[in-house]
Amino acid sequence: MLTFTNIQKSFDATPVLRGISYRLAAGENLVLLGPSGCGKTTLLRIIAGLETADAGQLLLEGEDLTAVPVHQRGFGFVFQDYALFPHKNVYDNVVFGLRMQKWSAEKMRVRVAQVLDLVGLAGFDERAIHDLSGGEQQRVALARALAPAPRLLLLDEPLGALDRALRERLMLDLRAILQDAGGVVGRPEGITAVYVTHDQAEAFAIADQVLVLNEGQIEQVGSPTELYRQPATPFVARFLGMGNIFPGEIKKSTATQTLVASPLGELQVKSSSLFQKGRAVPLLVRPEAGRLAEADDVENVMQATMVDLSFRGRYQIVTVRVGDILLKFEMETAVDLPPPNQPITLVLDKDAINLLAGS
């Protein structure tokens, strides 16, 4: 549906986007994920027509958008600050785009009722904006964007102004709303959306595909599951909160697994690629890799010293030391662990160890 090819943008001779290309399918939710300054909001603004790319092409269903002004693109917008009209009630905020399109009064009434019900605000028509909570205001902004059945929905850090607990609830609701909205507003292919965030939990909850940006370049594209299980580079792994990354050297490689020398010892890693012996490769040990060793374990057994335990409810973050190296693992709360400074024997699951690209 939407294709951007080799999008480039600089500000004051500083490159912000360095050749970004992607094909967005109809009905797909694409999340642009990355740290501040990586270029994700600039890319969104170029898609919206609020910025002009220095080079590259942007096509919507085969139509070149270069000369199409913002108001003629048929896009919906949801911003972090909501951008609601404070002097208008909920109905008048949601109906705004429909009035601009000159819908009949009856059609507007029906559509506003539909989208307010969709976002969980049925009966809120006459409420004043200042009487709503932050989460309710965000739902009004979403309803207003969805009401005209946009060709593309653009969301820029839409949950960024909310507290963590409310964000956790709304990110799950938001995906369900986007999935259901197509049938409500007359888009049988579903709502197609581009969503900007710096929060990986938010990205994972909402996205069909995640495009990870780093210094204006695509670091990796994939589904949330693919990104977590197979981060391509140390940057992606670290940005997703995985810090157990070490230098490794290939000792032996077969079609199903690879033996890697590392500061933790020699580790068996499940892999589907062949690697040249002696090749240097970054090694990621994911947080779920560690478990207590049992008597019959022989592969990837590791002697360590217990350092710290951080309770997180359903799970606990376990910090151990191997020589001078600290590692962090996530284990179920029910796992009985020794106190600090006591020895602990762990096994690393070879399915939860990754060989990464780059440095």
Side-chain angles (χ1 to χ4, degrees):
M1 179 195 185
L2 178 71
T3 303
F4 37 100
T5 306
N6 195 32
I7 299 296
Q8 300 179 45
K9 182 68 176 178
S10 297
F11 292 109
D12 297 327
T14 301
V16 176
L17 295 173
R18 307 166 186 257
I20 305 298
S21 299
Y22 186 77
R23 297 184 61 157
L24 179 69
E28 178 182 316
N29 294 332
L30 173 68
V31 172
L32 307 179
L33 177 66
S36 297
C38 71
K40 56 189 186 295
T41 295
T42 298
L43 179 56
L44 190 80
R45 289 175 62 83
I46 289 172
I47 295 170
L50 299 171
E51 297 279 358
T52 302
D54 298 333
Q57 188 177 48
L58 187 67
L59 301 176
L60 182 71
E61 296 175 336
E63 176 189 5
D64 190 338
L65 293 179
T66 304
V68 180
V70 177
H71 66 280
Q72 292 181 4
R73 295 192 178 195
F75 295 170
F77 302 89
V78 182
F79 302 103
Q80 181 175 334
D81 61 0
Y82 317 140
L84 297 173
F85 302 114
H87 59 288
K88 296 179 182 289
N89 63 18
V90 169
Y91 181 91
D92 287 333
N93 267 275
V94 175
V95 83
F96 178 78
L98 305 180
R99 284 179 174 150
M100 296 289 288
Q101 295 181 4
K102 303 187 185 309
W103 285 40
S104 70
E106 178 60 20
K107 283 184 65 180
M108 288 192 296
R109 185 189 63 77
V110 170
R111 175 55 59 84
V112 171
Q114 288 175 330
V115 293
L116 286 179
D117 182 61
L118 176 70
V119 301
L121 294 180
F124 277 59
D125 307 56
E126 302 303 319
R127 295 278 188 96
I129 293 301
H130 58 73
D131 288 337
L132 303 179
S133 69
E136 288 167 343
Q137 290 185 32
Q138 190 56 272
R139 290 171 185 267
V140 173
L142 182 59
R144 181 180 63 183
L146 289 171
R151 301 164 79 188
L152 182 68
L153 183 63
L154 304 176
L155 306 101
D156 190 7
E157 299 275 7
L159 307 182
L162 306 176
D163 65 64
R164 186 74 215 183
L166 185 55
R167 286 171 67 190
E168 289 283 351
R169 294 201 300 274
L170 280 186
M171 68 175 67
L172 298 177
D173 291 346
L174 184 53
R175 178 163 177 83
I177 289 168
L178 292 176
Q179 288 176 331
D180 294 342
V184 172
V185 302
R187 291 278 178 192
E189 75 279 11
I191 293 295
T192 308
V194 179
Y195 187 112
V196 163
T197 184
H198 64 276
D199 187 305
Q200 60 97 353
E202 199 174 315
F204 283 4
I206 290 165
D208 296 313
Q209 291 287 302
V210 181
L211 191 156
V212 182
L213 285 170
N214 178 25
E215 296 183 345
Q217 295 180 305
I218 296 176
E219 194 82 10
Q220 187 174 358
V221 181
S223 70
T225 301
E226 289 169 344
L227 255 64
Y228 184 83
R229 292 182 178 172
Q230 298 175 329
T233 66
F235 172 86
V236 174
R238 290 191 180 97
F239 191 77
L240 298 182
M242 295 181 277
N244 298 332
I245 301 174
F246 311 99
E249 181 183 318
I250 304 297
K251 304 297 289 185
K252 183 180 179 181
S253 182
T254 70
T256 57
Q257 66 181 29
T258 299
L259 180 66
V260 184
S262 79
L264 305 177
E266 291 191 346
L267 298 176
Q268 293 284 354
V269 181
K270 185 176 180 181
S271 73
S272 56
S273 301
L274 290 173
F275 295 89
Q276 184 177 0
K277 183 178 179 179
R279 174 180 169 181
V281 58
L283 189 72
L284 167 67
V285 180
R286 300 207 306 271
E288 72 272 25
R291 65 171 175 81
L292 292 180
E294 299 176 357
D296 57 350
D297 287 318
V298 293
E299 280 188 350
N300 295 353
V301 177
M302 186 176 69
Q303 303 298 326
T305 301
M306 190 72 183
V307 174
D308 189 36
L309 189 63
S310 178
F311 178 75
R312 300 298 173 90
R314 291 174 314 215
Y315 69 98
Q316 51 194 340
I317 297 179
V318 181
T319 304
V320 301
R321 178 183 291 111
V322 179
D324 295 328
I325 298 172
L326 292 178
L327 299 99
K328 293 183 182 296
F329 298 106
E330 294 176 3
M331 298 186 186
E332 293 182 1
T333 302
V335 176
D336 190 18
L337 297 163
N341 300 318
Q342 294 300 306
I344 181 172
T345 304
L346 299 175
V347 170
L348 302 183
D349 181 359
K350 64 184 178 183
D351 289 343
I353 303 174
N354 298 84
L355 302 177
L356 306 177
S359 56

